[in-house]
Amino acid sequence: MPLLGNLPAFRRDPLAFFAHLRDDFGDVVRWSLGSRRLTLLSHPEHIAELFGGSQEQFRPVDISWVFRQLVGDSVILSQGADWRRKRDLVQPAVRPRQVRGYAATMVDCAMDAARGWADRQRIDVEQEMNLLTQRIVVRTLFGNDLGDRARAVADAMEVAALELGAELRGIGMLLPDWARTPARRRVLAAVETIDAEVGRLIRARQAAECGTGDGADALGMLLAARDEEGNRLTARQVRDEAVTLWGAGHETTSVGLTWCWYLLSAAPEVRDRLTAELDSVLGGRPPTFDDYDRLVWTRQVVKETLRLYPPVWVVVPRITQGGATLGGEPIPDGTTLCCSPWSTHRDPRWFPDPDAFRPERWDADRKDAASEQAWFPFGGGARTCLGARFALVEMALVIATLAQRFHLDIDPGVVGTAPGLQLRPATAMRATLRDRELCLSGN
Ligand code: HEM
């Protein structure tokens, strides 16, 4: 085995590398990143077993120094009883009742974005979606409390996310924790900014003892949460969870929305059906949470986007212990298992014509159990994404609000993928806006 194992091929194009492992070597394939040995699972049943198995047997691996600096000891990096407690404490901040409350903020922010748009204007789609989802996450998490400091925290989050993506794809992942590269120093500086601002906010809220409880923003919910013994999260733990929600919930939905516009722009018949649904369900008014269930095609468009371009293209690997099995076969302890929504979502066994954008796959009378099982952009099992509902509602309501008013005509051509922390477009995605009202009036 060469010293770097498959690192060069993985680094060059991880998505093609995973597809190659799946197509040429089968559903369970061993590969290596330097001294790390991994096993890629591509079959949905194995992946369901991985997610559904106990966390003692399939333990999530802590793979990134950068990530740990950013999220500290939050739910996303915790294990065992500590993880359970934190998950229970964070859950109220993103439960469906809260998301219903956040929906108005999501639509408000999208309306604001639309007010800044004009017919024939040129936009950078990723940048626009990034700003929009950032506003949404800041307002749903912190209300308006961050004020003009939101920009500084957002910039610091951006630095950390970029370095994290670079680390996950490069040799950064193989560096010992004590190594201080220029990239790691940039991360430490960014974390300092985040700590200062978020810490200030938490102290202010604690001192005022307000803005907590039902109907509050997510920070208020975290501050109010109590475990079974009546204990609260400490200020440091609240910081870790708030930063995790921000980090996990911002760029994921931003790139998801960006790819959604890309797919819609290249599929006029899908877009026409979308606008027809919006016109008939909403009749020109802004959407509300109650419209979410009625926007059937919109939801299918979102679901199909997350199939073709899953923002989290590889799920946190799990290491086996205590005699785990897969498909009835024993797996040696210490095996690191990983799976990629990208590669399984584009497997023709589960999705005929897998590269085609076809929201109708998800029609109630067409979809089948196999493709449902093979769709896992949010992971699955006990550690499934805490913000899945938040993300799905946000994506649908943002698309509904903006697509009602504008067509985004993205410049023709294929946009490649740049898998970092999230699956981003490889090049800028520029679009010309077309005001639908003007289109309809023939101007
Ligand atoms: C399209 C958007 C999103 C995608 C694709 C996504 C995907 C994922 C995935 C794949 C996981 C890991 C699951 C696993 O390891 O089994 C995860 C975990 C998590 N996500 Fe998301 N996510 C999205 C949006 C959000 C949002 C909006 C939030 C919060 C507001 C959020 C919060 C979290 C948290 C806290 C975890 C850790 C859960 C745990 O370890 O128990 N995510 N997400």
Side-chain angles (χ1 to χ4, degrees):
M1 179 75 65
L3 188 63
L4 294 177
N6 304 109
L7 183 64
F10 178 74
R11 215 171 124 78
R12 216 169 20 249
D13 187 346
L15 303 178
F17 175 68
F18 280 158
H20 155 68
L21 292 187
R22 181 200 70 202
D23 292 344
D24 299 333
F25 296 96
D27 285 328
V28 182
V29 186
R30 284 187 54 155
W31 59 292
S32 69
L33 273 181
S35 58
R36 276 173 204 270
R37 302 274 185 276
L38 295 108
T39 300
L40 176 71
L41 302 179
S42 293
H43 196 292
E45 277 175 12
H46 292 152
I47 294 167
E49 278 188 66
L50 175 77
F51 288 142
S54 79
Q55 287 188 57
E56 284 67 46
Q57 290 192 325
F58 298 100
R59 185 184 164 91
V61 179
D62 173 4
I63 45 164
S64 162
W65 177 91
V66 175
F67 197 43
R68 238 178 303 130
Q69 306 315 304
L70 189 63
V71 303
D73 288 328
S74 85
V75 59
I76 208 160
L77 282 182
S78 301
Q79 312 278 355
D82 181 39
W83 163 80
R84 183 71 267 168
R85 171 177 181 268
K86 286 177 183 156
R87 187 152 170 126
D88 289 346
L89 287 167
V90 176
Q91 188 116 45
V94 281
R95 70 181 163 201
R97 187 140 50 98
Q98 279 295 118
V99 174
R100 166 179 271 276
Y102 300 150
T105 304
M106 294 167 182
V107 173
D108 251 20
C109 292
M111 298 274 288
D112 266 357
R115 276 191 279 274
W117 286 0
D119 191 48
R120 315 271 157 117
Q121 187 184 331
R122 300 275 295 157
I123 59 163
D124 177 318
V125 181
E126 190 182 10
Q127 219 169 55
E128 290 288 318
M129 292 304 110
N130 200 299
L131 282 174
L132 172 54
T133 57
Q134 198 164 87
R135 256 180 240 127
I136 292 175
V137 87
V138 169
R139 275 186 53 190
T140 51
L141 261 179
F142 303 118
N144 284 322
D145 289 8
L146 264 181
D148 53 10
R149 297 304 296 153
R151 189 69 256 155
V153 184
D155 289 346
M157 291 292 288
E158 196 80 21
V159 169
L162 274 176
E163 300 299 348
L164 179 50
E167 183 182 74
L168 290 177
R169 275 191 58 193
I171 47 173
M173 206 162 52
L174 308 175
L175 289 173
D177 281 359
W178 49 261
R180 286 292 170 273
T181 58
R184 286 187 168 185
R185 286 203 201 92
R186 283 194 290 277
V187 171
L188 289 175
V191 168
E192 212 172 289
T193 304
I194 295 166
D195 284 356
E197 297 302 333
V198 176
R200 183 179 57 77
L201 208 65
I202 291 171
R203 284 190 299 279
R205 287 276 185 102
Q206 281 176 323
E209 285 187 5
C210 66
T212 58
D214 271 1
D217 54 32
L219 182 63
M221 298 299 288
L222 291 174
L223 285 164
R226 288 169 188 265
D227 65 16
E228 282 171 354
E229 273 97 51
N231 297 317
R232 293 177 186 224
L233 292 164
T234 63
R236 172 72 208 185
Q237 288 170 332
V238 170
R239 174 262 174 231
D240 290 349
E241 301 306 343
V243 171
T244 298
L245 292 180
W246 183 327
H250 163 224
E251 271 202 51
T252 44
T253 47
S254 155
V255 296
L257 284 164
T258 303
W259 288 119
C260 193
W261 294 117
Y262 172 68
L263 291 165
L264 282 171
S265 174
E269 67 298 346
V270 176
R271 183 162 80 180
D272 287 350
R273 194 166 158 190
L274 176 81
T275 44
E277 174 175 273
L278 299 177
D279 292 345
S280 106
V281 173
L282 305 173
R285 64 171 170 78
T288 67
F289 180 83
D290 292 328
D291 296 312
Y292 179 72
D293 284 341
R294 288 195 285 268
L295 296 172
V296 178
W297 184 250
T298 313
R299 285 188 285 117
Q300 287 179 214
V301 165
V302 168
K303 188 164 183 176
E304 181 69 348
T305 301
L306 294 175
R307 180 184 73 79
L308 280 171
Y309 292 98
V312 179
W313 54 280
V314 57
V315 176
V316 177
R318 312 300 210 250
I319 190 156
T320 57
Q321 47 193 18
T325 59
L326 274 181
E329 299 289 328
I331 306 287
D333 283 359
T335 304
T336 305
L337 301 169
C338 62
C339 59
S340 161
W342 167 276
S343 137
T344 300
H345 285 184
R346 287 181 181 243
D347 187 330
R349 288 177 293 174
W350 329 117
F351 300 103
D353 200 359
D355 296 337
F357 178 50
R358 290 211 191 122
E360 62 273 20
R361 290 178 204 278
W362 304 106
D363 285 353
D365 55 353
R366 253 198 236 193
K367 61 182 179 184
D368 55 37
S371 46
E372 281 295 345
Q373 193 179 38
W375 185 85
F376 57 98
F378 297 106
R383 285 198 90 116
T384 194
C385 173
L386 261 170
R389 175 87 175 157
F390 184 116
L392 289 170
V393 169
E394 178 181 5
M395 287 182 67
L397 294 185
V398 165
I399 293 286
T401 308
L402 296 176
Q404 236 185 335
R405 296 247 347 247
F406 289 97
H407 285 320
L408 275 68
D409 289 339
I410 294 181
D411 296 354
V414 176
V415 175
T417 47
L421 177 57
Q422 275 91 27
L423 187 61
R424 294 174 67 170
T427 49
M429 213 186 267
R430 296 192 196 288
T432 304
L433 298 174
R434 275 194 302 130
D435 188 321
R436 279 192 62 227
E437 231 169 75
L438 297 180
C439 294
L440 293 173
S441 66
N443 288 319

